[in-house]
Amino acid sequence: MRRLARFFVLMAMAVLAGCGKPDFSDAEKKTIASLALSRLPALKPDTTNRFADVPAAAALGSTLFFDASMSRDGTVSCSTCHKIDRQFQDGLPQAVGVGRTNRRTMPLAGIARDPWFFWDGRRDSLWAQALTPLENLLEQAGNRAAYAHYIKARFGDRYERIFGPLPDLSEIPANASPLGSDAEKAAWNAMSDQQRDATNRVFANIGKAIAAFERSIEPPQTRFDRFALDLATGAEPKGDAAFSREEILGLKLFIGKANCVTCHNGPRFTDNGFHNTGVPPVKGLPPDRGRVDAVGQVQADPFNCFGAYRDGDVDACGELRFMVKDTPELVRAYKTPSLRGAATRPPYMHAGQFASLDEVVAHYAKAAPSVEGTSEIHPLELSDRERAALVAFLKTLAE
Amino acid sequence: MASIWRYLLAGLGLAALLAGILAVVYLTVPRTAQIAGPDISRTKKTENGLFMASFAPERGVVRQGELEAWLLTLKTIAGTPVEGAAIAVSGGMPQHRHGLPTSPQATDYLGDGRYRIEGVKFTMSGWWQLHFAISATAGSDTVVFNVVL
């Protein structure tokens, strides 16, 4: 009799243990599979940069990325803000280069897959993006004529082996740029069209080398990916691939009731779009209207896809050609960031408005109206347990 | 002593029966209730009945997050291809508060009433609408196509 009782107790325990197993509907399983890193397609060639996959270009790009001489005062490189040991970001609410900027540094994993760059998409290629901080007064604060001279003096041989002969720079002023100080602008305006084009071409190639390097920075596999892989194959998740009940609840909320997956979709957890989600402005920073002001900037950029420095065919310029230019939705719309690794890189949002994921989840649950334009998000009833579960799930994307 | 075990056995038996019934109910009821979706037909009459319009991806498949070309085919009700039409494209996601993430345009006339619509991109799953304003010699009309991803 006692043996029989033991048998029933064991059976009851087995039934109870079964209740804790992740149980997802077919639709949920499909969504979870669509988020897994294994679904990330191979990186497409960038035909606008014919050096994008040239190893020597990537090697020069990495040298330049970490070279503090690539700034006006010799103290700031790309890596000052895009720190190699911190997911290529700096953990600050707003980036600090030569001066203090008004935006959060973006991490770089998978960046080569973006159609638009910066929080507002004011550049349309990775190489055009890389040029912008070089001349921004608050970032590297240099000027393109000085960069051309520096490349010739310091990396002339390496440059020429990749890009071909450098132009004659002997008549080019030491400092000149259409974006610099009044003296630099005057010097730029005094140059011939040919000199300006020659300088722009060296400058564009700097961006193309840095972009070639940045293409190698890809997101690493996480606990979530191991869990998703086991779920897809029907294997029992083992070790850290097994999710706790809280993490499973968080995942279910993320792809269900909380609607996070609407915008944070695909293996990079981003739709690559721009949305107004009512994120408040930061006191003391200059007015920031997001995407609506970036449209004109990317159109005016001489290094955009329609410009003279693009390699390859104009067919690659679909994003710029079919860009949304004038809808009210662009007001205070910012890029959907990837959530991979987000849990270990506070603060959050385009100007570091929120210090923790708890604050981010609270913001999306409350869905306060935007100070300008209309927020796309709706208020959401989330219990304390559900909020904590969402945060627990997000942490699985950073472990 | 024996009677306690009998009660326990009966209790477990009832619990097993209950679990069985719950399992049957759980396994037979559809997981998600089917919500009546929008009309997703790819061929339809335009709003005022002026044209027959068809809308289909040029490569046959729809890939989320990619810029794609679609074909809009316009014929009169009698079946004659509509040539020289001016086409304006708009749209969005009716259940969200946003329009299209791109500005698709009619970029080419391919003959036989077929117009290439380039720059179509669906950035998320759900219910999308594409609205076409068509102006041709036969007159002006509009048509809305629903795409559910």
Side-chain angles (χ1 to χ4, degrees), chain A residues 310-333:
Chain A
R310 177 202 72 232
D311 299 315
D313 199 89
V314 75
D315 283 352
C317 307
E319 292 286 352
L320 187 59
R321 185 178 176 199
F322 301 109
M323 169 174 70
V324 176
K325 298 184 184 81
D326 51 6
T327 72
E329 289 165 25
L330 303 182
V331 176
R332 284 192 70 79

Side-chain angles (χ1 to χ4, degrees), chain B residues 32-82:
Chain B
T32 47
Q34 291 295 311
I35 305 155
D39 165 25
I40 54 163
S41 56
R42 293 269 168 90
T43 299
K44 57 174 75 169
K45 251 186 204 171
T46 52
E47 202 66 29
N48 296 320
L50 222 50
F51 312 111
M52 279 304 287
S54 300
F55 186 57
E58 190 171 20
R59 288 187 182 167
V61 289
V62 189
R63 282 173 306 168
Q64 193 176 311
E66 302 271 334
L67 275 180
E68 289 177 322
W70 286 58
L71 295 179
L72 181 72
T73 307
L74 299 174
K75 303 220 165 152
T76 62
I77 301 304
T80 317
V82 176

Side-chain angles (χ1 to χ4, degrees), chain A residues 257-294:
Chain A
K257 180 176 135 185
N259 296 318
C260 311
V261 80
T262 305
C263 295
H264 294 286
N265 62 36
R268 292 185 61 226
F269 288 77
T270 171
D271 64 352
N272 291 319
F274 301 93
H275 302 277
N276 180 334
T277 60
V279 174
V282 174
K283 268 186 200 148
L285 289 184
D288 189 336
R289 303 180 75 224
R291 181 64 175 160
V292 73
D293 287 342

Side-chain angles (χ1 to χ4, degrees), chain B residues 8-134:
Chain B
L8 189 63
L9 193 61
L12 281 168
L14 280 173
L17 189 68
L18 187 65
I21 291 165
L22 281 174
V24 168
V25 169
Y26 187 68
L27 290 173
T28 50
V29 168
R31 291 284 177 96
T32 47
Q34 291 295 311
I35 305 155
D39 165 25
I40 54 163
S41 56
R42 293 269 168 90
T43 299
K44 57 174 75 169
K45 251 186 204 171
T46 52
E47 202 66 29
N48 296 320
L50 222 50
F51 312 111
M52 279 304 287
S54 300
F55 186 57
E58 190 171 20
R59 288 187 182 167
V61 289
V62 189
R63 282 173 306 168
Q64 193 176 311
E66 302 271 334
L67 275 180
E68 289 177 322
W70 286 58
L71 295 179
L72 181 72
T73 307
L74 299 174
K75 303 220 165 152
T76 62
I77 301 304
T80 317
V82 176
E83 301 197 332
I87 299 163
V89 192
S90 57
M93 296 192 87
Q95 291 165 321
H96 299 196
R97 296 179 193 167
H98 62 79
L100 297 174
T102 55
S103 298
Q105 292 162 27
T107 55
D108 209 357
Y109 179 62
L110 306 173
D112 206 25
R114 292 176 306 145
Y115 296 82
R116 181 179 283 131
I117 311 295
E118 280 190 88
V120 178
K121 182 157 128 175
F122 301 111
T123 44
M124 51 184 74
S125 55
W127 171 21
W128 293 85
Q129 277 192 332
L130 277 123
H131 180 278
F132 296 92
I134 302 150

Side-chain angles (χ1 to χ4, degrees), chain A residues 43-297:
Chain A
L43 188 56
K44 281 186 206 155
D46 177 3
T47 55
T48 74
N49 173 7
R50 64 194 172 92
F51 309 98
D53 295 310
V54 174
L60 178 61
S62 93
T63 304
L64 298 176
F65 187 92
F66 295 100
D67 184 357
S69 297
M70 293 291 286
S71 62
R72 184 173 58 191
D73 61 4
T75 60
V76 180
S77 67
C78 304
S79 69
T80 302
C81 299
H82 298 288
K83 294 182 190 301
I84 190 169
D85 55 348
R86 302 194 67 169
Q87 300 185 45
F88 290 94
Q89 56 88 46
D90 55 13
L92 299 172
Q94 295 104 37
V96 179
V98 170
R100 188 184 193 86
T101 74
N102 64 335
R103 293 268 176 83
R104 173 88 172 90
T105 302
M106 301 195 98
L108 298 184
I111 196 79
R113 296 158 187 280
D114 280 11
W116 300 105
F117 300 84
F118 295 109
W119 281 99
D120 53 14
R122 64 186 183 274
R123 290 294 179 269
D124 67 340
S125 73
L126 191 50
W127 60 271
Q129 188 284 331
L131 299 175
T132 311
L134 290 173
E135 291 194 316
N136 184 315
L137 279 176
L138 300 174
E139 297 181 65
Q140 282 151 287
N143 64 81
R144 60 193 73 175
Y147 287 124
H149 287 294
Y150 175 69
I151 289 291
K152 183 165 190 166
R154 182 80 175 75
F155 303 109
D157 289 346
R158 282 177 76 181
Y159 177 98
E160 291 192 335
R161 277 200 295 275
I162 301 160
F163 300 106
L166 275 158
D168 176 15
L169 299 177
S170 57
E171 301 295 317
I172 307 258
N175 295 291
S177 166
L179 305 176
S181 64
D182 288 346
E184 286 162 4
K185 281 183 196 157
W188 181 258
N189 290 333
M191 286 161 61
S192 70
D193 284 347
Q194 207 180 359
Q195 287 175 320
R196 283 198 285 252
D197 180 61
T199 308
N200 278 343
R201 204 159 287 280
V202 177
F203 190 49
N205 286 339
I206 291 172
K208 289 176 182 180
I210 294 172
F213 162 63
E214 290 176 320
R215 280 168 71 81
S216 67
I217 307 167
E218 287 276 52
Q221 198 194 52
T222 65
R223 272 188 64 211
F224 164 74
D225 301 306
R226 293 190 277 281
F227 173 83
L229 206 62
D230 284 343
L231 188 71
T233 57
E236 182 75 32
K238 286 197 179 67
D240 76 349
F243 268 21
S244 69
R245 276 165 193 256
E246 187 182 39
E247 288 162 348
I248 288 167
L249 174 64
L251 171 55
K252 276 180 175 275
L253 288 166
F254 187 91
I255 64 174
K257 180 176 135 185
N259 296 318
C260 311
V261 80
T262 305
C263 295
H264 294 286
N265 62 36
R268 292 185 61 226
F269 288 77
T270 171
D271 64 352
N272 291 319
F274 301 93
H275 302 277
N276 180 334
T277 60
V279 174
V282 174
K283 268 186 200 148
L285 289 184
D288 189 336
R289 303 180 75 224
R291 181 64 175 160
V292 73
D293 287 342
V295 167
Q297 293 176 43

Side-chain angles (χ1 to χ4, degrees), chain A residues 276-278 363-368 374-379, chain B residues 97:
Chain A
N276 180 334
T277 60
H363 168 78
Y364 281 111
K366 190 179 172 203
T374 308
S375 171
E376 287 179 26
I377 57 170
H378 310 264
Chain B
R97 296 179 193 167

